Amino acid sequence: MKTRFVLINTSHAGNVGAAARAMKTMGFDDLVLVAPRWANVLRREETIQRASGALDVLENARIVATLDEALDGISHLCATAMTPRDFGPPTAAPREHFDLLLKKELLTLDGQALEARNTNISEAAAVRQAGVAFLFGSERFGMTNEDVYRCHVALSIPTNPGFGSLNLGAAIQVIAYEWRMALGGFPVLDATPQRALADAAQVAGMLGHWEQALTTIGFLDPAAPKKLMPRLNQLFNRAQLSPEEIHILRGVAKAMIEAAEAKR
């Protein structure tokens, strides 16, 4: 689904770079600036530094004079505005609205649902074919009433009721994250490589070594072992030991035997 981030009258160059970085981390690259303070904002040093490597997003970004130009080819408009207004689009949390939006899109694939919900057909089809845009106003004044009135929804990020202040880059990051998660998200990659597991023979050998050690130190009575070793077997199976951990445990068993024999 086409996704566009639109920054209106942005006054701080660093926020443009922060926006590019936030977008790229979530896999988005369509950035449009409407009448920013700096005509060369995409090339300013502060912008490039704050982008932190998202230079491809800056290179693809466009600067336009009007909001109409920024919204070309987009059908569903999401304002980001917290200031109360006398009237305008409904206010919704991003997660709530994205869930509803995508459900409407899925309905277009179900002929029966389309017949039952004719009021949703044109909007859902437009979203699927043309895409969605997230609009952000200037850092100082936010979005104008006129721009908000054009939108289908005013997104409000749930924040601390006593302090809801988010800078522009942070707000874009939250919206981009929520939208990416609604679209399916990205897989979480392990920070460490998958470790090999010890096989049954290695675990059995280690248990035999421990049985010898526990007998040597007097903890296990071979004449009445009860269920100690089977319970240890289950314990180590749950631990899913690696070969390296098997070696450590066998080293412990060896040290116990040597210590016990040295005292004799």
Side-chain angles (χ1 to χ4, degrees):
M1 185 182 297
K2 182 189 297 183
T3 299
R4 182 173 299 163
F5 287 77
V6 179
L7 276 55
I8 306 169
N9 302 135
T10 308
S11 58
H12 297 289
N15 284 333
V16 175
R21 179 180 184 179
M23 290 170 57
K24 184 167 183 175
T25 60
M26 293 297 111
F28 303 114
D29 59 7
D30 190 352
L31 173 63
V32 179
L33 309 177
V34 179
R37 176 185 179 186
W38 308 99
N40 66 339
V41 66
L42 296 174
R43 300 185 301 277
R44 293 181 69 88
E45 184 63 26
E46 185 181 0
T47 305
I48 294 171
Q49 289 181 351
R50 290 287 300 278
S52 190
L55 300 182
D56 52 338
V57 178
L58 294 179
E59 291 171 359
N60 292 330
R62 295 181 291 119
I63 295 178
V64 297
T66 67
L67 183 57
D68 283 331
E69 296 173 84
L71 300 179
D72 182 45
I74 295 292
S75 64
H76 191 80
L77 309 181
C78 299
T80 53
M82 296 180 60
T83 306
R85 289 171 169 78
D86 293 335
F87 71 97
T91 300
R95 191 171 303 179
E96 170 193 357
H97 181 68
F98 296 161
D99 182 61
L100 178 62
L101 186 61
L102 293 177
K103 283 181 179 178
K104 287 182 178 180
E105 182 193 0
L106 291 175
L107 287 177
T108 64
L109 303 177
D110 187 337
Q112 293 180 348
L114 287 176
E115 293 178 1
R117 304 191 182 193
N118 287 327
T119 56
N120 292 333
I121 294 176
S122 59
E123 179 182 1
V127 169
R128 186 181 71 256
Q129 295 171 8
V132 59
F134 301 109
L135 280 59
F136 298 83
S138 69
E139 294 89 337
R140 185 175 180 184
F141 300 108
M143 292 183 62
T144 66
N145 287 340
E146 291 73 17
D147 291 342
V148 174
Y149 296 156
R150 299 181 60 170
C151 297
H152 298 84
V153 65
L155 298 179
S156 179
I157 298 171
T159 57
N160 176 3
F163 188 76
S165 177
L166 283 172
N167 65 38
L168 182 57
I172 292 173
Q173 185 71 80
V174 172
I175 296 295
Y177 169 79
E178 291 286 355
W179 182 231
R180 175 53 64 193
M181 293 303 293
L183 293 175
F186 292 124
V188 175
L189 303 178
D190 269 332
T192 55
Q194 288 286 343
R195 65 193 187 104
L197 298 181
D199 59 29
Q202 290 173 312
V203 175
M206 180 270 297
L207 283 168
H209 202 166
W210 266 68
E211 183 174 10
Q212 178 188 357
L214 295 174
T215 302
T216 302
I217 65 174
F219 188 84
L220 173 65
D221 181 1
K226 297 183 180 181
K227 296 182 180 180
L228 175 60
M229 295 314 299
R231 290 185 184 280
L232 286 178
N233 197 338
Q234 289 295 303
L235 171 63
F236 290 130
N237 282 345
R238 288 196 300 272
Q240 295 188 308
L241 300 171
S242 68
E244 292 79 8
E245 291 164 338
I246 290 288
H247 293 320
I248 292 172
L249 290 170
R250 295 197 73 150
V252 172
K254 180 181 178 181
M256 286 193 293
I257 293 171
E258 292 175 347
E261 292 178 343
K263 292 181 179 179
R264 292 178 181 176

